[in-house]
Amino acid sequence: PGLLEPTSTLVRVPKSASTLGIAIEGGANTRQPLPRIVTIQRGGSAHNCGQLKVGQIILEVNGVSLRGREHRDAARLIAEAFKSKERDYVDFLVTDFN
Amino acid sequence: REKRLTLPPSEITLL
């Protein structure tokens, strides 16, 4: 990638625990327009996966963009992706750049 | 007159 291109990473989180175990802040019409990971709880699926990091911005969940979604809408989308029995994982497209 | 210069902070949700 070029030096000025923002980099994004696709992280597949297997549903290895009963909770996803992340806390997010942000969403449309707030200071943080895309959801940012603020906590990763030990023992949750995200922690077990080991690839999500505090501070990363979530761009997409299972290929669905979070751009323009308000906080509660983004949180609901992530919660439903984790709860859904369609897949035994959740795909996150994340970036380290804010 | 007060003017909002920045967007409000977000709530935090545990998932």
Side-chain angles (χ1 to χ4, degrees):
Chain A
L3 285 173
L4 297 176
E5 283 177 42
T7 52
S8 57
T9 310
L10 184 66
V11 175
R12 178 160 289 186
V13 177
K15 296 175 184 175
S16 61
S18 61
T19 62
L20 177 58
I22 65 171
I24 59 160
E25 69 168 2
N29 305 318
T30 73
R31 286 177 201 163
Q32 172 58 54
L34 278 164
R36 188 176 80 96
I37 299 172
V38 291
T39 308
I40 297 182
Q41 292 194 306
R42 198 165 295 175
S45 298
H47 183 260
N48 292 346
C49 166
Q51 292 186 73
L52 290 179
K53 304 283 180 252
V54 167
Q56 285 175 329
I57 309 298
I58 305 174
L59 303 170
E60 293 181 6
V61 176
N62 287 342
V64 178
S65 175
L66 297 186
R67 204 168 292 279
R69 291 181 191 269
E70 295 199 343
H71 179 80
R72 285 177 190 201
D73 190 22
R76 187 171 57 236
L77 197 84
I78 295 168
E80 285 174 358
F82 187 76
K83 195 173 62 179
S84 166
K85 297 195 190 314
E86 273 178 51
R87 300 176 178 84
D88 57 6
Y89 56 83
V90 183
D91 280 337
F92 290 94
L93 185 67
V94 296
T95 180
D96 291 319
F97 295 92
N98 201 346
Chain B
R1 190 164 55 128
E2 200 171 302
K3 189 179 174 188
R4 177 170 284 181
L5 297 173
T6 55
L7 287 163
S10 168
E11 55 194 305
I12 292 176
T13 300
L14 178 61
L15 294 159

